[in-house]
Amino acid sequence: MDWVQWRWNDKRSKRVLTNNYKFIPLGKLKRLLFIALLVVFACQDEEADSKFDFPLIDLNPNSSTFEQTVGPADFLGDVCIVFFGHESWGTCRSRFGFLNSIYLDLVSQYILDVHILGIGKDQYNEYLNQMVEGRVLPWMEDSQNEGYPVWTDWDASQRYVYFLNRGGIVDTTFNITPYSSSNPADYAYIMGLILELRTDDVPSSVFDVNFK
């Protein structure tokens, strides 16, 4: 049997090399390494959760999360897409509608692990109905009185979209303005990004541990 040798003095608070030997089986050491890797990934998830857990209320009455606090932290383990736009701008409303269409297409294919969120500004709340009409995606509004903290934390601009992987980490971001629902190539590109993120996960090699 393979062994890993470790020496310490049990009678002292600090472990020092002595002539006393203790042995750790190699299989046990592999298990400890495996547990340590799990802890690392758990900490990464916790970091993502604290960064993206913003206290905004869903204002879209057509959404399944209406009047609930919603944020990317609620969807760790799934793919999440965050769109920023002004309710008063027709282009913002159009691109949000584009994302809504993509979401409905995903749901129609029973793809339920993709979530899309929209974030505006309460400065433009009078245009909220126009933004959410006919859309089922959650829509939140950042607070002008607080200096728009979510927009600031994300360094967001109008019509920027952020694609988060299953670990809550931003994988891709760009301005969606040039992309149109009437262009099949644009639709295919965005759908391709989403489907690719769905296949991403913790590399299998991390868990390829032989316990024998």
Side-chain angles (χ1 to χ4, degrees):
M1 178 182 294
D2 294 326
W3 298 84
V4 174
Q5 182 174 300
W6 185 257
R7 303 184 294 180
W8 64 45
N9 186 336
D10 291 327
K11 297 181 180 180
R12 298 184 182 183
S13 59
K14 293 184 179 179
R15 293 179 180 180
V16 294
L17 293 176
T18 70
N19 291 325
N20 296 325
Y21 294 97
K22 291 195 174 183
F23 298 93
I24 302 176
L26 185 58
K28 182 176 182 180
L29 185 63
K30 287 183 177 180
R31 289 185 177 89
L32 293 173
L33 176 60
F34 176 73
I35 294 171
L37 289 172
L38 289 179
V39 171
V40 169
F41 282 108
C43 290
Q44 288 179 343
D45 285 347
E46 183 177 352
E47 179 180 351
D49 183 273
S50 64
K51 182 176 181 180
F52 297 111
D53 187 12
F54 43 73
L56 297 181
I57 304 298
D58 182 6
L59 303 176
N60 185 1
N62 306 311
S63 167
S64 62
T65 55
F66 179 52
E67 296 184 333
Q68 299 178 35
T69 301
V70 182
D74 298 316
F75 306 114
L76 284 174
D78 291 349
V79 173
C80 186
I81 301 162
V82 183
F83 168 82
F84 288 84
H86 290 174
E87 295 87 337
S88 60
W89 283 71
T91 308
C92 294
R93 297 195 294 266
S94 173
R95 297 306 179 269
F96 187 58
F98 184 16
L99 294 172
N100 188 81
S101 297
I102 289 177
Y103 174 78
L104 292 177
D105 287 347
L106 291 167
V107 171
S108 71
Q109 300 174 52
Y110 302 99
I111 296 175
L112 306 178
D113 58 351
V114 177
H115 311 274
I116 304 177
L117 311 177
I119 303 176
K121 296 180 177 180
D122 61 5
Q123 174 184 355
Y124 307 108
N125 179 263
E126 62 182 296
Y127 300 95
L128 173 64
N129 289 338
Q130 297 180 49
M131 178 60 82
V132 301
E133 183 178 3
R135 284 80 188 259
V136 300
L137 299 178
W139 184 265
M140 288 78 72
E141 290 182 338
D142 209 4
S143 172
Q144 181 180 26
N145 291 337
E146 298 176 5
Y148 300 123
V150 177
W151 281 66
T152 300
D153 289 346
W154 286 63
D155 194 23
S157 299
Q158 284 198 75
R159 295 179 293 280
Y160 265 73
V161 61
Y162 297 77
F163 293 75
L164 282 65
N165 63 24
R166 296 185 184 276
I169 306 301
V170 174
D171 178 270
T172 304
T173 181
F174 56 84
N175 190 313
I176 199 174
T177 302
Y179 297 82
S180 171
S181 59
S182 62
N183 187 333
D186 291 345
Y187 175 93
Y189 174 72
I190 294 178
M191 182 65 80
L193 285 176
I194 294 172
L195 297 179
E196 182 178 355
L197 280 175
R198 288 187 70 239
T199 64
D200 288 344
D201 205 341
V202 178
S204 59
S205 59
V206 171
F207 302 101
D208 186 15
V209 179
N210 183 2
F211 289 151
K212 294 181 179 180

